[in-house]
Amino acid sequence: MATIPLSAVDRFRDILGTDRVLEQHTERLLYGKDGSIAEGDCGLVLLCETTDEVSACMRAAHELGLPVVPRGSGTGLAGGAIPLDGSVVLSVARMRRVISVDPETPCAWVEPGVLNLDVTTGVRHLGLHYAPDPSSQAACSIGGNVATNAGGPHCLASGVTSQHILGMEIVLPDGEVLTVGGPAPDPPGYDLRGFIVGGEGTLGVVTKVCVRLMRDAPTVTTLLVDFPSVTSAGAAVRDVIAEGVIPAAMEMMDRTMVRAVEQFVHAGLPVDSAALLLVEVDGTPAQVADQAAAVERICRDSGAASVRTARDEAERALFWKARKNAFGAVARIAPNYYLHDCVVPRTRLVEVLENIAAIGERHGLIIMNVFHAGDGNLHPLIAFDRRDPVQVEKVFAAGKDIIEACVAVGGTLSGEHGIGLEKRDYMPLQFAPLDLDAQCRAREAFDPDGRLNPRKVLPAGAKCGELILDAGSLPEGTWL
Amino acid sequence: MSDEGHMIPPRGAPNWLPGVMAPAEEDVVSCVSCGLCLPHCPTFRVTGRETASPRGRIFAMRAVMEGRAEVDDEFATMMDECLACRACETACPSGVPFGRMVEAARAQVEARRPLPERTARRLGIGWVLARPWAIAAMGAGLALSQATRLERLLPARFSRTAPRVGLRQLLTRVPDELGEGPTACVLTGCVMDVASRDVQAATMRAVAGAGFRAVRGQARGCCGALAMHHGHPEAAKEMARQRIAEFEGADVVVANAAGCSNHMKTWGHLLADDPEWGARAAKVAARVRDLLELDLHPIPGERGAVAVHDACHHVNGQDMRGPLREVLRRAGARPVEIPDDGRCCGAAGLYSVLQPELSGELRTQKARAIAASGATVVACANPGCAIQIANGLREIGAPVRVVHPAEYS
Ligand SMILES: Cc1cc2nc3c(=O)[nH]c(=O)nc-3n(C[C@H](O)[C@H](O)[C@H](O)COP(=O)(O)OP(=O)(O)OC[C@H]3O[C@@H](n4cnc5c(N)ncnc54)[C@H](O)[C@@H]3O)c2cc1C
Ligand code: SF4
Ligand code: SF4
């Protein structure tokens, strides 16, 4: 493991005090990981509490020439928060104040370490909520959501994170503090928000966020539909959207997944069904009744075996608990999972799902599906045991096949988890050298020395056009 | 790049001390590091440090298991800071059995402590708790020092965490036998029998009222939970054997403290490898009931709003949120939820003494949340919590009384 020189450690201690600079061996090991399967090499951990501290630390790192990786809750699934080659990890997990709430606009300024769900919990009494709801919402941070442009089940109707971020304060790699946007509908000057959201920690450290809040819908109905085949469920999704109904959320889980998660939630899910759809509609009581009826009719036409409506708020919460804990429940099948995040056109959904099943069979692997069906954002999840090297080989080979199958039908690499480290080397599948070069230049405008979250998102050589596509394994400098 | 050498970390033989209980490999690898447990972990919430999170603690265990880290001071701090509240276990969709893992990790930590420290801890946890007269002597000492206000001479850390023991408490007589029906042997426990003898007496009434012949167990016979939580499995096993021998004749075995009932239900697992005791332990463990699991008939009255404090070891591991509310309703009280998502109060066995800072933070948070609930009484069925909460409420000057639900019988 790389270590940071003691004089540098002292610089950071002068800023943060001894307790908030972690430099011992095992402490650093723990910050070498996030929610993905890879593990990197962390040189030092900084636990900042204020913008001033972040700025001072970034200035010090700039002067010392040290690479820095911003970190929120570390639930990322693309390895974005994993430090390589002894980078410094700057954690914002202690920056968790809700600074102000404006119930009129409505919006709120929060610090980046505030957990996604805590924003909603804090404004629920005002009849408001923060709409993007990644399945990890109880654990992931707003800063991490901004950096990955996170999505979630309810982003089908209300849009992903970028549509809910009104303004930000970010600290640039040299310590300069920049504020972009704000509660005003159209802030003057270039609108950089769209670029910074989804920056995956390569542009600056987000230190404050102004989030849009939404008013709670008067009525909500949640349907759990049980299908005899994945194909019929896929067809129902396609037909619901084709008919012009946009549910608040439409999620699919296949049988293996349902069985794993039912062991945890005990929600009485139909464990024998081949595929489950979780559909939520909201709005005025009349709208809800209409939409729910339409969804039910279309599902039955596609061959649904049963349609169950959540009886009350408690049952609705239980359905969602099942969906949102799905990834986590995989260890009941195998101790590790490798996950992709492709988006495919909804019209090709059925075909791609069949293809993925065939890929699993070909490699002799268990592939489970749980995903945002409404917007075609797949999460094929390969369950495996990292202690078995032969299996690991197969997992990476199958992952590559899945990505290629998705891109071949006009899909994209990532719907919401980001590119980070794990999907980095697949970028050339999607972008021409010219595109990558342009992205690289935009990044350099923020980080000319390439010290912020280095070697993430853009593959090596993205600029000079010497691309080597070597996807389908873990990037150099990491391990499993 | 596809060279496998990059993908497999330098793995070596486990760095666990042989011959001492250690976290099982199958348990350790079942964590997929999703982080869904983080928001439920009180120590992570307070510190924001991965090193004080369930995921981090498990990863540290994994690093030791793979020969990449040592059971050293750093590792010890991570395990010591854990409350063993098991909130992470309830939250974990993968079913990671964190409770038994941290107990085993702590056994490793204890075995490596420098000798003088280890002896001191052994004495406190293993020796005193196994000796009823020693607990009684300590209780008397505490009561005397508090009555004479001599305690002012002790460090503040001590007086903030010690139970308030009235001299009258020590003189309260607890009946040895009460009621008719199948025999229910009632665990007297260690701390309870010193700090809350009125609760002990009330427990006998409650058990009798539930249709049993309540028989009081040996005075101050500890179940071993504290020893187990703090890394002394051998001491815990010894105490378990003593209690099992005592309880074998009973139809049911009742404990009025969450930590005890939860632990006693695992006696079978604890002694599974013991040829002489394994089967006997399993049999007795199967008859263990928490007091709240009995069909209690408290004396109904006009009791108004009562805040409900769930002990971690009722909720996590025993899935028992309902019964406490039901007993309160039967007693004529209106149960009120404490607005803090049931976060641990920071008592956690000896944690309040060993980790005064973290424990103090959680104590204050809990006391404030109870005060915010608006109730003037808070019910809780675990002595550790009761002591901690009473101290916390006193600290912030909130006029809220702490009761054990048995006291309504
Ligand atoms: C069980 C599970 C379910 C999930 N479900 C979803 C889902 O439905 N939708 C979805 O989109 N994602 C999902 N995710 C992925 C993950 O939760 C999101 O990507 C989330 O936004 C990451 O937030 P975090 O705070 O954990 O960030 P981290 O993992 O800490 O970091 C993620 C990236 O953001 C950067 N970053 C973090 N904080 C900052 C900051 N303050 N400033 C600048 N950069 C920063 C990091 O450098 C890194 O590149 C899921 C993950 C899990 C484990
Ligand atoms: S303990 Fe469970 S919830 Fe926590 S990180 Fe591991 S698998 Fe996820
Ligand atoms: S037992 Fe409690 S304190 Fe320990 S890791 Fe789990 S939630 Fe955190």
Side-chain angles (χ1 to χ4, degrees):
Chain A
M1 268 169 73
T3 27
I4 305 275
L6 271 180
S7 57
V9 176
D10 284 341
R11 270 294 288 279
F12 293 116
R13 288 214 165 120
D14 288 344
I15 302 168
L16 300 174
T18 24
D19 283 0
R20 290 193 281 124
V21 178
L22 310 183
E23 44 122 14
Q24 296 191 62
H25 173 80
T26 313
E27 289 173 336
R28 286 187 286 131
L29 269 186
L30 308 192
Y31 283 88
K33 274 189 65 63
D34 63 0
S36 72
I37 53 173
E39 180 182 340
D41 175 13
C42 163
L44 192 70
V45 184
L46 309 175
L47 302 170
C48 292
E49 285 178 359
T50 61
T51 302
D52 286 347
E53 285 180 359
V54 174
S55 168
C57 287
M58 292 305 282
R59 205 171 319 119
H62 176 65
E63 285 162 20
L64 295 160
L66 295 172
V68 178
V69 180
R71 180 183 173 100
S73 300
T75 66
L77 291 168
I82 291 181
L84 299 172
D85 309 324
S87 295
V88 173
V89 170
L90 190 156
S91 163
V92 298
R94 289 177 69 92
M95 300 177 70
R96 48 194 165 184
R97 272 183 321 135
V98 172
I99 303 162
S100 62
V101 176
D102 169 4
E104 299 305 318
T105 305
C107 67
W109 277 97
V110 303
E111 290 185 339
V114 172
L115 307 182
N116 173 306
L117 188 59
D118 286 350
V119 176
T120 294
T121 313
V123 296
R124 194 171 283 141
H125 63 285
L126 301 169
L128 298 170
H129 67 280
Y130 175 64
D133 62 335
S135 304
S136 52
Q137 72 182 135
C140 62
S141 71
I142 287 292
N145 289 173
V146 168
T148 56
N149 192 11
H154 288 86
C155 292
L156 177 58
S158 66
V160 296
T161 302
S162 59
Q163 271 127 298
H164 300 267
I165 302 303
L166 301 176
M168 274 165 291
E169 175 189 84
I170 70 167
V171 176
L172 297 175
D174 60 359
E176 190 190 334
V177 182
L178 191 75
T179 303
V180 290
D186 183 18
Y190 290 115
D191 191 351
L192 291 174
R193 293 174 297 187
F195 184 63
I196 297 173
V197 175
E200 300 199 44
T202 65
L203 306 175
V205 182
V206 177
T207 45
K208 279 188 192 115
V209 186
C210 182
V211 295
R212 180 201 307 282
L213 299 173
M214 310 262 283
R215 302 200 190 280
D216 296 345
T219 338
V220 184
T221 291
T222 309
L223 307 168
L224 191 69
V225 194
D226 159 8
F227 286 91
S229 69
V230 173
T231 311
S232 53
V237 171
R238 186 193 56 210
D239 295 346
V240 166
I241 304 282
E243 194 151 317
V245 180
I246 305 285
M250 184 150 56
E251 302 283 306
M252 196 196 288
M253 266 195 262
D254 69 11
R255 180 186 290 146
T256 331
M257 198 70 251
V258 170
R259 289 191 172 166
V261 81
E262 173 63 14
Q263 285 181 43
F264 172 61
V265 293
H266 309 293
L269 302 179
V271 290
D272 290 325
S273 86
L276 268 191
L277 270 192
L278 186 58
V279 188
E280 189 155 282
V281 289
D282 64 9
T284 62
Q287 283 168 334
V288 167
D290 277 0
Q291 293 200 7
V295 169
E296 179 161 354
R297 173 175 45 77
I298 298 169
C299 287
R300 290 204 190 274
D301 287 350
S302 308
S306 76
V307 180
R308 177 169 150 199
T309 307
R311 257 178 289 123
D312 49 21
E313 187 49 37
E315 194 170 67
R316 173 174 172 259
L318 203 58
F319 288 174
W320 280 111
K321 185 174 175 191
R323 165 60 187 92
K324 296 205 165 177
N325 280 285
F327 297 160
V330 175
R332 295 175 190 267
I333 309 277
N336 303 93
Y337 63 81
Y338 183 47
L339 174 72
H340 281 286
D341 173 36
C342 318
V343 183
V344 298
R346 277 172 306 234
T347 44
R348 313 288 290 269
L349 201 58
V350 172
E351 171 192 345
V352 173
L353 287 172
E354 283 167 355
N355 225 331
I356 290 174
I359 292 170
E361 234 155 76
R362 198 159 67 236
H363 292 278
L365 294 167
I366 303 180
I367 302 186
M368 308 153 84
N369 284 292
V370 47
F371 59 96
H372 312 310
D375 39 25
N377 187 183
L378 303 181
H379 290 330
L381 196 144
I382 314 177
F384 72 105
D385 187 336
R386 67 191 254 287
R387 293 170 295 178
D388 175 356
V390 180
Q391 222 181 69
V392 169
E393 270 308 272
K394 289 187 190 161
V395 168
F396 285 111
K400 187 164 185 232
D401 290 353
I402 291 176
I403 294 226
E404 282 170 356
C406 293
V407 173
V409 298
T412 65
L413 274 183
S414 164
E416 54 181 26
H417 298 164
I419 302 298
L421 191 62
E422 285 193 352
K423 275 79 185 177
R424 180 193 69 189
D425 295 333
Y426 289 112
M427 284 289 271
L429 276 181
Q430 179 127 43
F431 294 104
L434 198 65
D435 297 320
L436 290 171
D437 183 46
Q439 294 186 34
C440 204
R441 284 172 204 275
R443 174 175 177 169
E444 276 176 7
F446 284 79
D447 180 20
D449 311 331
R451 272 189 315 98
L452 204 51
N453 215 355
R455 294 169 48 203
K456 301 287 174 61
V457 186
L458 297 175
K463 192 155 172 219
C464 21
E466 297 168 4
L467 281 172
I468 339 141
L469 177 60
D470 195 1
S473 70
L474 280 182
E476 209 168 336
T478 61
W479 51 48
L480 194 57
Chain B
M1 251 199 275
S2 43
D3 173 4
E4 254 171 57
H6 288 300
M7 304 201 310
I8 310 292
R11 232 169 267 174
N15 281 335
W16 300 126
L17 200 67
V20 177
M21 186 179 272
E25 175 168 348
E26 286 317 302
D27 289 353
V28 173
V29 300
S30 67
C31 171
V32 295
S33 64
C34 63
L36 294 183
C37 51
L38 299 186
H40 303 274
C41 173
T43 60
F44 178 75
R45 279 284 190 163
V46 171
T47 64
R49 269 192 280 119
E50 196 66 34
T51 53
S53 80
R55 176 173 70 175
R57 290 178 176 122
I58 295 167
F59 194 66
M61 294 178 204
R62 186 173 119 185
V64 173
M65 190 180 90
E66 291 174 350
R68 299 199 279 147
E70 298 284 340
V71 182
D72 51 11
D73 288 352
E74 218 195 318
F75 184 84
T77 305
M78 291 182 203
M79 300 306 143
D80 286 347
E81 282 177 351
C82 171
L83 294 149
C85 67
R86 296 167 67 185
C88 49
E89 205 173 308
T90 300
C92 174
S94 279
V96 175
F98 187 81
R100 67 179 188 222
M101 291 159 69
V102 74
E103 283 177 355
R106 280 184 171 170
Q108 287 285 332
V109 167
E110 285 301 308
R112 300 256 179 137
R113 277 196 213 280
L115 202 60
E117 201 187 332
R118 193 161 88 218
T119 317
R121 283 174 172 254
R122 260 210 105 84
L123 256 177
I125 296 163
W127 193 85
V128 174
L129 290 183
R131 282 164 185 75
W133 60 264
I135 305 174
M138 284 180 63
L142 207 55
L144 272 173
S145 78
Q146 287 170 356
T148 56
R149 313 212 45 209
L150 263 176
E151 62 159 345
R152 279 170 306 169
L153 303 177
L154 295 170
R157 154 179 166 183
F158 183 76
S159 56
R160 256 188 261 122
T161 52
R164 313 299 302 176
V165 181
L167 283 173
R168 200 166 43 86
Q169 278 284 344
L170 288 181
L171 302 177
T172 304
R173 218 190 72 79
V174 182
D176 284 329
E177 219 187 291
L178 201 68
E180 276 164 35
T183 306
C185 222
V186 181
L187 175 85
T188 58
C190 44
V191 185
M192 282 294 263
D193 215 43
V194 175
S196 350
R197 291 178 64 86
D198 42 0
V199 174
Q200 300 293 68
T203 301
M204 293 297 283
R205 293 196 299 276
V207 175
F212 292 93
R213 182 173 75 92
V215 179
R216 184 169 144 81
Q218 184 207 328
R220 295 174 289 276
C222 178
C223 66
L226 279 178
M228 193 64 199
H229 293 326
H230 293 283
H232 291 275
E234 293 313 315
K237 285 180 189 169
E238 188 44 42
M239 292 183 223
R241 288 187 205 103
Q242 290 173 12
R243 294 290 79 70
I244 289 162
E246 185 188 342
F247 294 149
E248 266 174 328
D251 295 302
V252 293
V253 178
V254 180
N256 62 1
C260 304
S261 60
N262 201 351
H263 174 70
M264 290 157 72
K265 289 178 181 178
T266 68
W267 273 345
H269 181 76
L270 181 66
L271 293 172
D273 296 334
D274 186 326
E276 190 190 337
W277 289 86
R280 293 166 69 181
K283 212 160 140 192
V284 173
R287 294 181 193 160
V288 172
R289 299 285 176 276
D290 189 277
L291 176 67
L292 298 180
E293 287 176 296
L294 304 184
D295 181 20
L296 299 180
H297 298 282
I299 305 162
E302 275 298 316
R303 304 191 196 272
V306 174
V308 189
H309 169 74
D310 289 305
C312 295
H313 287 192
H314 271 151
V315 179
N316 307 316
Q318 300 200 84
D319 197 11
M320 269 180 54
R321 297 184 85 253
L324 178 51
R325 287 156 185 74
E326 177 58 25
V327 175
L328 292 178
R329 260 183 236 110
R330 287 187 184 186
R334 182 166 54 80
V336 176
E337 299 301 325
I338 301 172
D340 68 350
D341 276 341
R343 181 140 336 135
C344 177
C345 64
L350 302 178
Y351 191 87
S352 51
V353 183
L354 298 173
Q355 299 287 333
E357 275 177 32
L358 276 172
S359 174
E361 173 84 34
L362 294 169
R363 182 172 60 228
T364 311
Q365 282 182 9
K366 178 61 78 180
R368 294 217 178 101
I370 293 173
S373 78
T376 54
V377 179
V378 54
C380 131
N382 195 49
C385 309
I387 296 165
Q388 172 90 341
I389 288 175
N391 286 338
L393 290 166
R394 196 151 32 83
E395 252 166 14
I396 64 162
V400 182
R401 194 164 55 88
V402 185
V403 301
H404 189 292
E407 292 178 63
Y408 292 135
S409 287

